[in-house]
Amino acid sequence: MGSMVSKTENTWEVEAEKSRKVLRESIPEQWLLPQDKLPSSDRLNILSVPEESGLLTRKELDITESDATHLVEKMGAGEWSAEEVTIAFLKRATIGNQLVSFTSSINQSNLNNATEFMAEDAISRAKELDAWYAQHKKLMGPLHGVPISTKEHIWHKGRVASGGYVAQVDKIVPEDSHLVQLAKNAGAVFHLRTNEPLTLMTGDCHNNIFGQTLNPCHLKLSCGGSSGGEGASIGFKSAALGLGTDIGGSIRIPAAFNGIYGFRPSASRLPYDGIELPGAGQESVKCVIGPLAHSIDDINLLMKTILDQEPWDNEVSLVPLPWKKVDVSRKITVGIMWSDGIVHPHPPMNRVLKSAKEKLQAAGIKVIDWEPYKSMEILQLIITLFFPDGGKAITDLIALTGEPLSTGAATFLQHARELTVSENWAANAQRDRLRAEFHSLMKDRGVDVILCPPFVGAAPEMNKMDYGTYTMLWNLLDLPALVFPTGEVVDGRVDVVEEGYVPVNEIDKAQFERYDPKTFEGAPIGLQVVGKHLRDEETVAAAKLIESILKK
Amino acid sequence: MGSMVSKTENTWEVEAEKSRKVLRESIPEQWLLPQDKLPSSDRLNILSVPEESGLLTRKELDITESDATHLVEKMGAGEWSAEEVTIAFLKRATIGNQLVSFTSSINQSNLNNATEFMAEDAISRAKELDAWYAQHKKLMGPLHGVPISTKEHIWHKGRVASGGYVAQVDKIVPEDSHLVQLAKNAGAVFHLRTNEPLTLMTGDCHNNIFGQTLNPCHLKLSCGGSSGGEGASIGFKSAALGLGTDIGGSIRIPAAFNGIYGFRPSASRLPYDGIELPGAGQESVKCVIGPLAHSIDDINLLMKTILDQEPWDNEVSLVPLPWKKVDVSRKITVGIMWSDGIVHPHPPMNRVLKSAKEKLQAAGIKVIDWEPYKSMEILQLIITLFFPDGGKAITDLIALTGEPLSTGAATFLQHARELTVSENWAANAQRDRLRAEFHSLMKDRGVDVILCPPFVGAAPEMNKMDYGTYTMLWNLLDLPALVFPTGEVVDGRVDVVEEGYVPVNEIDKAQFERYDPKTFEGAPIGLQVVGKHLRDEETVAAAKLIESILKK
């Protein structure tokens, strides 16, 4: 697609406006909240606005509060139509996008979690599905009528995939990405495309085209990134299922921050064709696509639906492993990693982990304490392997327009150091050694899955997301990792600042000092379940078991 | 292992002598041919010397003329003991090594296909197996008592793995390579380690430690490489099974030249831990380990035996795919690639391919002509990806001792051009595009496997092996490829120089001009079967079907 990207004579501001225009014109205005229904400007959690607004019917609220698995059941039973379902989610998405634009206490216009609505296509597709159902008396496929939102750089035929770079606002892509094609085969409806940060190499969500995406659980906290728009979309229930990408935590961080589910599969399982990042051909740390969801059942549904279509027959780099049905018994051993050994988690995270340990033990699950392993070496290595080109692929694309870089992305890019090919090889070999050692360690310790924080605590304040080791560890090691919401939120009455804790290093100190229960009050706390390489099914099944015990 | 390699004060000649001493002291002298049994110095094919010598009993001849599958049957039935089998192969290997040393018309001492005999260990292991069999009344495993030779850089615990580099003659490795361990678990006996060329990046077999390995089918022709010692070992029936490595044809070229079987599996199937090449961490074109064998059944046996042990549980980079049983029906479609589009094959190869087409069609197999696809682009790209470090990993190791580089290796290294990481990424992306295109093409053309030459013709004259596209294509595309002997040899009466053929380019011209039936008279002609990525089982099964039809 390189030929579509070139220096223009316009300023970056003028170029960026092109994409904003696409967004504006795509918004279904008939579903916008009228001014008098907008929440007050001091409100932080806007999740219940759709219900309070009275603009969605009870059925539409029921629909949008369902997970995909339930939706499909209801559509299969003929109780809900695909069109009803699609319109319900479009309505909610319209409101969601409007709210994270206008209720923000930050004085900035064009704040969106959406980059483009695809309302017409989605409704027309839903009608086709309904007609199909009426004729055949059964669903078209396992994702029949499920409205899915997608991170912007996941291709939709004939639409722009800028990847958040102003230089790419004219990059119209020739086909749907492979995963989108397969989801469509299974009956999915794509109605919404969501925001992602410039460079994607940040755990926040700001770019110069669409601005800042907000966290609907707490408008002053980060929505996470890089699949931040997806985090906000699924968090607000603007879609039944979402698709994001993850090279360092970009699915799991927004999942954790928005109180939803996110899964990073092992590399080479889900189809990745039709997704482009600057620096194609980088394979030291592979970026993967994966679901953001409302339940673990939905993660299973997505994985199974896609892998049942044997995508490896069209995308040769994939591993030809069907999605197996596994039953995880209570005989598994869970290793709890209380800390990554670099940064001590915040009080609400410690509380949730402690409670998890007690509940798991009470349920008869064997739990051991997992000593972190070479976290600092892994952290340094993955950052090295993110940018062995010195960050050139990214900075060249930015330089084409001169658009400014966010502080977060700029800070991260500061670590970029160009390697020679020989140095890159040595770093690959180091990565392989760490993978082998870690795998042996899991076997030696008899641990099936690791339960650990996805982040230091709840979502950090906006634009203060600057620590990602808790997710990056698993990218370097290429282990499947699932984040789920514990149902717990930061509670100032119990989650008080730890008295007497002495930080062990400067990073720890900085993160420790950020904690103040007032800042995070009410923000959701997620946990992460990490399994063995290519044991994705076992990891998801273990997460389901753990979640069921924790929420009992 | 880097710490074991350093500059020494000795000349390279003195250093090299260390490894030759290990070899000399390991040769079971009691089994050497006496002077009066040596074949005459003008003899080119020495394959029948063991039989003519009278030094092997009829039983020992029967044993060494069996494939591994048959050996295991005989040992399972209690007719042959593991000790008898091991001794028979050791005897033959001793003679083989002696012959390719002393009957050569080239005036050079220390010409070996072996780098080390492991006679004592092998016999003692065989005795253990016999005792086990006596006690349990069954075989210890599916490779019970099968003598296997291994390419030198495949690790054996406590022994040197120099990889043919004088700088590494003191590199004693700490453990068996993973595949050797698993073969041992299954009852295999390792009795012989074989020669490989300096740099491994050549289709011939010469290094400064052990000199030149010869082709027992024809002492003036190349034995192939880089698994040249394995080619000679299996060709002479010095082992029941062999293990080599292949990054550009290094298993299949010696298989073709020595009239035996060789299989390059898709990458990441067979365990590769415990094999080191300079430049660890290079993953643009992966080197793989694979069998050289006496039959396709033996290739199946090896693959199944190893994969049944689920090596992915110990080596995390492997794909967790069990070795499936597949039955290939006659409904497959075979695409015959008559030429790579760069070099027109020699007359005997054309004859064999033509005959193959007729026989396959007569047997009811659908055969189409396979138009070559972007061979020149693939060739140039794989050479680029072999040496994106500018060849530094190799040349640095050579520079440590100042040992001289063979012409073949030097010529190949001349193509080395150092890339930046960004350029390496672009080349990876180009490779991925070619893989996708080629895969689509196979599907579009409805071809299950491609039947093609493994090389231009029979083995070239020694040290004239300078064209490897027919094997390298499949390395870049990461397709499984199996070479088998057709049973046909160069026959000057029919394989006359093609009148009127006008070469299409300089490479074609050079290869065309080399053909002269007298030079190659009697040399074996192999063919190659290439399947789809990770469809290794289907590829092996298709090869078996094709071979059975061709040899009817």
Side-chain angles (χ1 to χ4, degrees):
Chain A
M1 309 307 302
S3 60
M4 297 184 193
V5 177
S6 58
K7 227 175 153 77
T8 72
E9 295 186 358
N10 294 328
T11 62
W12 68 262
E13 291 90 344
V14 172
E15 286 293 300
E17 176 57 20
K18 288 182 186 171
S19 277
R20 281 197 290 269
K21 184 158 176 282
V22 170
L23 168 60
R24 275 197 310 272
E25 291 175 355
S26 77
I27 293 173
E29 295 187 2
Q30 68 276 26
W31 293 319
L32 286 170
L33 284 178
Q35 287 294 319
D36 64 331
K37 302 269 187 186
L38 289 175
S40 66
S41 66
D42 58 349
R43 184 161 169 186
L44 295 173
N45 181 318
I46 55 165
L47 294 176
S48 56
V49 171
E51 179 152 14
E52 295 156 20
S53 73
L55 295 183
L56 275 75
T57 64
R58 184 64 251 165
K59 191 174 192 181
E60 286 170 339
L61 290 167
D62 287 347
I63 286 171
T64 52
E65 279 156 16
S66 297
D67 68 358
T69 304
H70 186 65
L71 286 175
V72 171
E73 278 169 22
K74 285 290 202 180
M75 285 183 278
E79 294 179 40
W80 294 346
S81 73
E83 188 180 357
E84 282 175 321
V85 166
T86 299
I87 288 176
F89 278 102
L90 275 168
K91 275 180 146 175
R92 194 154 182 145
T94 306
I95 297 170
N97 188 55
Q98 182 184 11
L99 290 177
V100 293
S101 304
F102 299 118
T103 65
S104 165
S105 60
I106 296 174
N107 185 16
Q108 190 178 352
S109 61
N110 293 305
L111 304 179
N112 301 290
N113 79 304
T115 64
E116 187 174 10
F117 282 80
M118 305 188 289
E120 266 180 53
D121 283 6
I123 293 168
S124 118
R125 167 73 169 159
K127 285 179 177 168
E128 275 170 31
L129 290 163
D130 287 333
W132 202 96
Y133 179 82
Q135 193 188 337
H136 297 87
K137 311 290 175 218
K138 61 173 186 177
L139 299 177
M140 182 182 269
L143 292 176
H144 181 109
V146 174
I148 300 182
S149 58
T150 51
K151 193 175 181 178
E152 199 266 0
H153 76 303
I154 297 171
W155 289 9
H156 286 271
K157 183 177 176 174
R159 297 181 185 268
V160 170
S162 70
Y165 291 90
V166 175
Q168 297 187 137
V169 293
D170 292 324
K171 178 174 156 178
I172 294 172
V173 299
E175 55 189 5
D176 288 342
S177 69
H178 191 185
L179 183 40
V180 167
Q181 287 169 29
L182 299 180
K184 282 185 177 175
N185 291 348
V189 172
F190 288 89
H191 66 311
L192 183 67
R193 304 178 65 210
T194 65
N195 204 22
E196 57 190 45
L198 182 59
T199 80
L200 298 191
M201 302 309 287
T202 153
D204 218 308
C205 196
H206 175 277
N207 64 45
N208 298 308
I209 303 170
F210 300 104
Q212 179 78 47
T213 295
L214 304 184
N215 183 334
C217 306
H218 193 308
L219 295 177
K220 288 194 175 176
L221 301 183
S222 171
C223 69
S226 64
S227 310
E230 280 306 303
S233 162
I234 305 301
F236 195 74
K237 305 185 194 300
S238 299
L241 204 55
L243 294 176
T245 58
D246 192 320
I247 196 173
S250 286
I251 287 172
R252 293 160 290 150
I253 292 167
F257 292 0
N258 291 279
I260 56 168
Y261 299 79
F263 180 50
R264 179 224 177 260
S266 303
S268 306
R269 288 210 71 176
L270 283 183
Y272 191 77
D273 275 353
I275 297 172
E276 278 187 348
L277 295 178
Q282 185 281 97
E283 47 196 21
S284 294
V285 184
K286 287 191 179 156
C287 185
V288 305
I289 188 170
L292 292 96
H294 296 296
S295 67
I296 295 180
D297 286 344
D298 285 5
I299 289 172
N300 246 316
L301 174 66
L302 189 274
M303 296 299 295
K304 179 166 162 44
T305 299
I306 300 305
L307 296 184
D308 277 358
Q309 294 179 66
E310 305 189 355
W312 47 85
D313 194 42
N314 284 313
E315 190 173 327
V316 276
S317 63
L318 300 179
V319 174
L321 287 175
W323 187 255
K324 308 194 289 286
K325 190 173 159 47
V326 295
D327 291 309
V328 168
S329 76
R330 300 204 164 204
K331 284 183 188 149
I332 61 167
T333 297
V334 177
I336 296 192
M337 190 179 93
W338 300 90
S339 159
D340 61 8
I342 303 172
V343 169
H344 179 65
H346 288 169
M349 188 60 76
N350 296 331
R351 167 171 62 84
V352 164
L353 270 179
K354 209 171 292 178
S355 154
K357 182 173 182 175
E358 285 162 13
K359 287 180 176 175
L360 290 171
Q361 285 179 326
I365 304 279
K366 187 170 173 197
V367 179
I368 68 161
D369 294 332
W370 178 272
E371 189 71 22
Y373 186 73
K374 298 192 179 176
S375 294
M376 186 53 90
E377 181 181 348
I378 294 174
L379 172 63
Q380 287 170 345
L381 184 60
I382 196 170
I383 291 174
T384 300
L385 286 172
F386 281 151
F387 308 115
D389 67 334
K392 206 170 163 319
I394 288 173
T395 51
D396 283 0
L397 205 48
I398 291 172
L400 281 177
T401 61
E403 62 174 319
L405 204 53
S406 72
T407 318
T411 308
F412 206 35
L413 270 167
Q414 274 176 3
H415 297 290
R417 186 175 72 81
E418 188 173 351
L419 303 185
T420 63
V421 166
S422 304
E423 288 168 337
N424 200 153
W425 289 355
N428 290 346
Q430 184 186 355
R431 175 206 63 196
D432 290 346
R433 175 180 56 70
L434 286 164
R435 287 179 179 174
E437 288 172 5
F438 201 93
H439 183 72
S440 292
L441 205 61
M442 286 186 79
K443 287 173 60 176
D444 292 348
R445 293 179 180 174
V447 162
D448 298 292
V449 291
I450 294 170
L451 180 66
C452 65
F455 178 65
V456 175
E461 290 175 89
M462 209 185 313
N463 295 320
K464 288 196 177 165
M465 174 57 197
D466 54 6
Y467 186 71
T469 311
Y470 283 95
T471 49
M472 286 197 275
L473 290 175
W474 320 122
N475 293 83
L476 187 94
L477 300 172
D478 197 6
L479 303 183
L482 186 149
V483 165
F484 66 95
T486 59
E488 296 290 321
V489 296
V490 177
D491 177 352
R493 294 165 308 178
V494 290
D495 299 324
V496 296
V497 173
E498 263 180 283
E499 291 289 332
Y501 177 73
V502 182
V504 295
N505 58 52
E506 283 306 304
I507 312 173
D508 191 24
K509 184 162 182 281
Q511 296 295 333
F512 178 74
E513 287 174 354
R514 287 214 186 135
Y515 183 69
D516 166 8
K518 278 199 289 300
T519 308
F520 303 103
E521 185 72 29
I525 299 292
L527 284 177
Q528 182 172 216
V529 174
V530 181
K532 291 178 180 161
H533 181 60
L534 289 176
R535 302 279 176 97
D536 297 80
E537 292 89 333
E538 290 83 350
T539 307
V540 172
K544 168 113 180 148
L545 172 66
I546 292 169
E547 188 199 27
S548 73
I549 293 169
L550 264 53
K551 290 195 175 156
K552 221 172 245 171
Chain B
M1 309 306 301
S3 59
M4 295 183 193
V5 178
S6 58
K7 228 176 153 75
T8 72
E9 294 185 358
N10 294 329
T11 62
W12 69 262
E13 290 90 343
V14 171
E15 286 294 300
E17 176 56 20
K18 288 182 184 170
S19 277
R20 283 196 289 270
K21 185 159 176 283
V22 170
L23 168 60
R24 276 198 309 274
E25 290 177 355
S26 77
I27 293 173
E29 293 186 2
Q30 69 277 26
W31 292 319
L32 285 171
L33 285 177
Q35 287 294 319
D36 64 333
K37 302 269 187 188
L38 289 174
S40 65
S41 67
D42 58 349
R43 184 162 169 185
L44 295 173
N45 181 318
I46 55 166
L47 293 176
S48 56
V49 171
E51 178 151 17
E52 295 155 19
S53 73
L55 294 182
L56 275 75
T57 64
R58 185 62 251 165
K59 190 175 192 180
E60 286 169 338
L61 290 167
D62 287 346
I63 286 171
T64 52
E65 279 155 16
S66 297
D67 68 358
T69 303
H70 186 66
L71 285 175
V72 170
E73 278 169 22
K74 286 291 203 179
M75 286 184 277
E79 293 178 40
W80 294 345
S81 73
E83 189 181 358
E84 283 174 321
V85 166
T86 298
I87 288 175
F89 278 102
L90 276 167
K91 275 180 147 177
R92 194 155 182 142
T94 307
I95 297 170
N97 189 55
Q98 183 184 11
L99 289 177
V100 293
S101 303
F102 299 118
T103 66
S104 166
S105 59
I106 297 175
N107 185 17
Q108 189 179 350
S109 61
N110 292 305
L111 304 178
N112 300 288
N113 79 305
T115 64
E116 187 173 13
F117 283 79
M118 306 189 289
E120 267 180 53
D121 283 6
I123 293 170
S124 114
R125 168 71 169 159
K127 286 179 176 168
E128 275 171 32
L129 290 163
D130 287 333
W132 202 96
Y133 179 83
Q135 194 188 338
H136 297 87
K137 311 290 175 219
K138 62 172 185 177
L139 298 176
M140 182 183 268
L143 293 176
H144 181 109
V146 174
I148 300 182
S149 58
T150 50
K151 192 174 183 178
E152 200 264 1
H153 76 303
I154 296 171
W155 290 10
H156 286 271
K157 183 177 177 174
R159 298 182 184 268
V160 170
S162 71
Y165 291 89
V166 175
Q168 296 187 138
V169 293
D170 293 323
K171 177 174 156 179
I172 294 173
V173 299
E175 54 189 6
D176 288 342
S177 69
H178 190 186
L179 182 40
V180 167
Q181 288 169 29
L182 299 180
K184 282 185 176 175
N185 290 348
V189 172
F190 288 89
H191 66 309
L192 183 66
R193 303 178 65 210
T194 64
N195 205 20
E196 59 189 43
L198 181 59
T199 80
L200 298 192
M201 302 309 288
T202 154
D204 218 307
C205 195
H206 175 277
N207 64 45
N208 298 308
I209 303 169
F210 300 105
Q212 179 78 47
T213 295
L214 303 183
N215 183 334
C217 306
H218 193 308
L219 294 177
K220 289 195 175 175
L221 301 183
S222 171
C223 69
S226 65
S227 311
E230 280 305 304
S233 162
I234 305 302
F236 195 75
K237 306 185 193 299
S238 298
L241 204 55
L243 294 176
T245 57
D246 192 320
I247 196 173
S250 286
I251 288 171
R252 291 160 291 151
I253 292 167
F257 293 0
N258 291 280
I260 56 168
Y261 299 78
F263 181 51
R264 178 224 178 262
S266 303
S268 306
R269 289 211 69 175
L270 283 183
Y272 191 77
D273 275 354
I275 297 172
E276 278 187 347
L277 296 177
Q282 185 282 97
E283 48 196 20
S284 295
V285 185
K286 286 190 179 157
C287 186
V288 304
I289 188 169
L292 292 96
H294 295 297
S295 67
I296 295 179
D297 286 345
D298 284 5
I299 289 171
N300 246 316
L301 175 66
L302 189 273
M303 296 300 295
K304 179 168 162 47
T305 300
I306 300 305
L307 296 185
D308 278 358
Q309 295 179 65
E310 305 190 353
W312 47 85
D313 194 42
N314 284 312
E315 190 174 327
V316 276
S317 63
L318 299 179
V319 173
L321 288 174
W323 187 255
K324 303 193 294 283
K325 190 173 160 45
V326 294
D327 291 308
V328 168
S329 77
R330 301 204 163 205
K331 284 186 189 147
I332 60 166
T333 298
V334 177
I336 296 191
M337 190 180 91
W338 299 90
S339 159
D340 61 9
I342 303 172
V343 170
H344 179 65
H346 288 170
M349 188 61 76
N350 295 330
R351 168 172 60 85
V352 163
L353 270 179
K354 210 171 291 176
S355 153
K357 181 173 183 177
E358 286 161 12
K359 287 181 175 173
L360 290 171
Q361 285 180 325
I365 304 278
K366 186 170 176 199
V367 179
I368 68 161
D369 294 331
W370 178 270
E371 188 71 21
Y373 186 74
K374 299 192 180 175
S375 294
M376 187 52 90
E377 181 182 347
I378 294 173
L379 173 63
Q380 288 171 344
L381 184 60
I382 196 170
I383 291 173
T384 301
L385 286 172
F386 281 152
F387 308 115
D389 67 334
K392 206 170 164 318
I394 288 173
T395 52
D396 282 0
L397 205 49
I398 291 172
L400 281 177
T401 62
E403 62 173 319
L405 204 53
S406 72
T407 319
T411 309
F412 206 37
L413 270 167
Q414 275 175 4
H415 297 289
R417 186 174 73 80
E418 188 173 349
L419 303 185
T420 64
V421 166
S422 304
E423 288 168 337
N424 200 152
W425 288 356
N428 291 345
Q430 185 186 353
R431 176 206 63 197
D432 289 346
R433 175 180 55 71
L434 287 163
R435 287 179 179 174
E437 288 172 6
F438 202 92
H439 183 72
S440 291
L441 206 60
M442 286 186 79
K443 287 173 61 175
D444 292 349
R445 293 179 180 174
V447 163
D448 297 293
V449 291
I450 294 169
L451 180 67
C452 66
F455 178 65
V456 175
E461 291 175 87
M462 209 185 311
N463 295 320
K464 288 196 178 164
M465 174 56 196
D466 54 7
Y467 186 71
T469 310
Y470 283 95
T471 50
M472 286 197 274
L473 290 176
W474 321 121
N475 294 84
L476 187 94
L477 300 172
D478 197 6
L479 303 182
L482 186 149
V483 164
F484 66 96
T486 60
E488 296 289 322
V489 297
V490 177
D491 178 351
R493 293 165 307 176
V494 290
D495 299 325
V496 296
V497 174
E498 263 180 283
E499 292 288 334
Y501 177 73
V502 182
V504 296
N505 59 52
E506 284 306 305
I507 313 174
D508 191 25
K509 184 163 181 281
Q511 296 295 331
F512 178 73
E513 287 173 355
R514 288 214 186 136
Y515 184 69
D516 165 9
K518 278 199 288 299
T519 309
F520 304 103
E521 185 71 30
I525 300 291
L527 285 178
Q528 182 172 216
V529 175
V530 182
K532 291 179 180 158
H533 180 61
L534 289 176
R535 302 279 176 96
D536 297 80
E537 292 90 332
E538 290 83 350
T539 308
V540 172
K544 169 112 178 146
L545 172 66
I546 291 168
E547 188 199 27
S548 73
I549 293 169
L550 265 52
K551 291 196 175 156
K552 222 171 247 171

